[in-house]
Amino acid sequence: MEGSPIPVLTVQTAPYEDQRPTGGGGLRRPTGLFESQRNYLPNFVQSVLSSIDLRDRQGCTMVVGSDGRYFSRTAIDVVVQMAAANGIGRLVIGQNGILSTPAVSCIIRKIKAAGGIILTASHCPGGPGGEFGVKFNVANGGKAPLVTASIQAELCIEEYPQTPHLGNQWRTDPIALPIIMGPYVRRVLCDELGAPANSAINCIPLEDFGGQRPDPNLTYATTLLEAMRGGEYGFGAAFDADGDRYMILGQNGFFVNPSDSLAIIAANLPCIPYFHQIGIRGFGRSMPTSTALDRVAKSMKVPVYETPAGWRWFSNLMDSGRCSLCGEESFGTGSDHIREKDGLWAVLVWLSIMAARKQSVEEIVTEHWTKFGRHYYCRFDYEALDPRTAYFIMRDLEALITDKSFSNQQFAVGNNVYTVLKTDSFEYVDPVDGTVTKRQGLRIIFSDTSRLIFRLSASSNVRATLRIYAESYEKDPSKHNMEPQAVLSPLIAIALKISQIHERTSRKGPTVIT
């Protein structure tokens, strides 16, 4: 076929109003929508491709991968057909269509591709009744900035080109890059580092993830938690479907809060050869992430950049040389080697720290608390809310806490008294380009540095998720072994009282607590 023109058809279509990109850097919706709605996937893929300047698009290379969930193979067929019709010169596709999100970012940067399309719904369930998603990463390997106006402008799509005779050839001649979390864990941890083969579980990619939700937290990683509680193993880690999130457990199920994990990695970067070579320029964290990182940064005399939630905000900081390490409370950590969070990288860093310090997970964490103090922290997720109800809860709450009468207000809960020091609706001014992003969550900061944060998640599907974050700092080592729920219950009581979320949603409690 080389040298022969590829026939291109023009397909008429109509836009879908619900395809505005979400906070995760793309489109995430129930799988049934992609299967049942005519041109639902092609519309968004064409909008992504059209957002690339025509001069950059012609003859360029792009990377395509997926987390192997149901509908991925069909979706890759569509991407191949449309990429060819749009003049893309070369596609690098993972073996069996599978590539982890950090791997896609790495490959884009390594081969200087124009960008990449990742077919994943991250930590959401798979299968016909689950969710499916499309993410677009740009030439620096990071998420498209805001997936912004350029894509949104293309969503008024009326037609798209397609090459119907191409598509499934990639299934028989893929690029040999067998990287997704199961095979990756086996190759790196078992084959290279010598971990026993039976220490890698759930490592066979399945379209429905075996009926499990691929979300590495205490709510969903119960099999790992129970295994670790037995005391036989000293280190446990869980990953999500596309490999960018992780969770660390120590012996007897000792849980490492992801905000603590970020701070501990930062404090121990001298254990990592990579940072000996490049130095430590600064740290980044999302606003809802605990301020544990800030205390480490202060001791190391490096800046901390507080961004909105979402990994895309870190790319500018890294590209400008301001940030070496960044992370979020949602179980994501990464460095400037790529422009995505990287779960396996974080786990390897933890193993390096343990080897260098010759200490267990629990010893490393408790020693860190002794030096810097402990930040008790939790997040309450209220999922699948009516969007209008969630919007009005946040609107009314913002009006309440930003009113002058709320300042210096005191809340007495049991033996605890909390005095409001500062409230705001968080806005971010990018230090690189000066871009201002407003309304990124509501903050209440108390005089003892405790914090309450309320935020609507932008990464869920057509229903809304409202998140409440609570944080309380404790310097006294004799009080470092308390249960987070017990310590934070007064703050949670305040949050529930002022938001009236249970009364306004008829919920008795959160869907998920982390």
Side-chain angles (χ1 to χ4, degrees):
M1 283 185 61
E2 190 169 347
S4 302
I6 300 175
V8 176
L9 297 181
T10 299
V11 180
Q12 301 300 312
T13 189
Y16 286 96
E17 287 300 318
D18 69 337
Q19 287 199 345
R20 300 298 173 188
T22 63
L27 179 71
R28 186 185 302 169
R29 294 290 183 267
T31 308
L33 277 180
F34 287 92
E35 291 193 287
S36 64
Q37 299 294 314
R38 182 175 179 270
N39 299 333
Y40 196 82
L41 175 64
N43 273 20
F44 191 76
V45 171
Q46 183 58 49
S47 299
V48 166
L49 295 174
S50 296
S51 73
I52 305 173
D53 187 277
L54 183 61
R55 292 166 297 183
D56 297 329
R57 198 189 320 161
Q58 298 304 305
C60 75
T61 296
M62 292 190 69
V63 181
V64 180
S66 80
D67 62 9
R69 70 180 56 228
Y70 176 80
F71 194 64
S72 292
R73 288 182 169 235
T74 299
I76 293 176
D77 289 347
V78 172
V79 171
V80 170
Q81 293 170 358
M82 297 184 67
N86 276 271
I88 306 299
R90 177 175 177 242
L91 290 179
V92 175
I93 305 175
Q95 189 176 57
N96 299 316
I98 290 173
L99 278 176
S100 70
T101 290
V104 169
S105 179
C106 178
I107 295 167
I108 290 172
R109 294 172 64 80
K110 186 173 183 178
I111 68 174
K112 295 180 171 56
I117 293 176
I118 311 171
L119 304 168
T120 177
S122 189
H123 55 290
C124 294
E131 295 192 23
F132 191 79
V134 184
K135 297 197 294 187
F136 175 49
N137 284 28
V138 293
N140 73 347
K143 291 180 173 60
L146 294 177
V147 190
T148 59
S150 55
I151 291 180
Q152 293 190 355
E154 298 297 338
L155 289 173
C156 59
I157 184 172
E158 296 180 350
E159 62 182 28
Y160 63 85
Q162 192 173 42
T163 53
H165 299 295
L166 291 180
N168 62 8
Q169 285 92 336
W170 67 270
R171 301 191 187 196
T172 57
D173 187 25
I175 299 296
L177 291 169
I179 301 174
I180 197 172
M181 292 324 295
Y184 204 1
V185 166
R186 281 183 169 171
R187 175 60 185 271
V188 175
L189 297 182
C190 298
D191 296 349
E192 297 293 332
L193 299 182
N198 62 3
S199 66
I201 59 175
N202 295 335
C203 284
I204 299 174
L206 300 173
E207 288 192 334
D208 65 349
F209 308 119
Q212 302 180 60
R213 179 162 176 161
D215 198 348
N217 60 44
L218 294 177
T219 300
Y220 297 111
T222 53
T223 302
L224 175 66
L225 180 60
E226 289 306 311
M228 295 301 298
R229 280 176 172 166
E232 181 180 352
Y233 307 105
F235 181 87
F239 304 94
D240 69 344
D242 62 325
D244 58 0
R245 300 175 191 238
Y246 73 104
M247 178 181 70
I248 300 294
L249 296 176
Q251 195 168 25
N252 301 314
F254 183 87
F255 171 63
V256 183
N257 181 288
S259 294
D260 280 346
S261 180
L262 173 63
I264 290 166
I265 289 174
N268 289 277
L269 285 184
C271 297
I272 312 303
Y274 175 72
F275 293 102
H276 281 297
Q277 300 170 12
I278 67 166
I280 301 170
R281 303 180 183 94
F283 301 136
R285 66 166 176 84
S286 64
M287 181 271 288
T289 302
S290 92
T291 55
L293 178 66
D294 302 42
R295 296 183 186 274
V296 174
K298 184 177 180 180
S299 73
M300 298 174 69
K301 295 182 172 57
V302 297
V304 174
Y305 299 93
E306 185 179 39
T307 72
W311 203 259
R312 63 178 179 264
W313 306 99
F314 298 128
S315 288
N316 257 11
L317 298 173
M318 291 180 174
D319 286 347
S320 65
R322 286 172 165 84
C323 189
S324 301
L325 175 76
C326 48
E328 299 187 296
E329 50 74 33
S330 54
F331 295 86
T333 302
S335 84
D336 58 358
H337 66 293
I338 57 173
R339 296 296 181 267
E340 283 279 5
K341 47 187 178 282
D342 190 341
L344 188 54
W345 176 87
V347 167
L348 292 172
V349 168
W350 260 95
L351 292 173
S352 297
I353 293 170
M354 293 172 68
R357 295 183 52 166
K358 296 180 172 54
Q359 290 179 304
S360 68
V361 170
E362 185 171 354
E363 288 169 339
I364 291 169
V365 174
T366 54
E367 193 169 293
H368 181 89
W369 290 341
T370 300
K371 181 176 180 179
F372 293 100
R374 180 175 182 181
H375 291 255
Y376 286 96
Y377 184 89
C378 74
R379 185 183 92 188
F380 281 22
D381 289 2
Y382 291 84
E383 299 177 328
L385 298 178
D386 173 71
R388 285 178 56 83
T389 299
Y391 166 79
F392 285 121
I393 290 174
M394 290 293 288
R395 183 201 66 177
D396 296 346
L397 186 58
E398 181 175 0
L400 172 68
I401 71 168
T402 57
D403 189 274
K404 289 183 179 180
S405 63
F406 197 81
S407 183
N408 296 318
Q409 187 168 336
Q410 290 189 331
F411 293 90
V413 183
N415 296 325
N416 301 279
V417 178
Y418 296 90
T419 303
V420 176
L421 178 66
K422 175 186 175 182
T423 64
D424 66 7
S425 175
F426 181 67
E427 69 176 48
Y428 176 62
V429 180
D430 192 307
V432 180
D433 58 23
T435 303
V436 179
T437 307
K438 298 183 177 182
R439 305 180 73 86
Q440 294 298 306
L442 302 176
R443 296 190 297 182
I444 303 174
I445 302 173
F446 297 95
S447 59
D448 66 348
T449 73
S450 295
R451 297 194 307 163
L452 279 175
I453 294 165
F454 303 82
R455 189 178 73 86
L456 277 178
S457 172
S459 59
S460 55
N461 55 34
V462 291
R463 304 291 284 177
T465 297
L466 197 154
R467 295 193 164 112
I468 300 175
Y469 310 80
E471 177 184 1
S472 181
Y473 177 69
E474 180 56 65
K475 179 64 176 174
D476 185 355
S478 69
K479 299 179 180 179
H480 285 172
N481 293 319
M482 301 172 68
E483 284 296 321
Q485 296 287 322
V487 174
L488 297 169
S489 60
L491 284 171
I492 294 298
I494 295 170
L496 298 180
K497 178 181 178 180
I498 63 176
S499 67
Q500 295 290 293
I501 189 170
H502 289 175
E503 292 81 355
R504 297 179 68 168
T505 63
S506 300
R507 298 285 182 91
K508 294 182 180 179
T511 315
V512 179
I513 301 175
T514 54

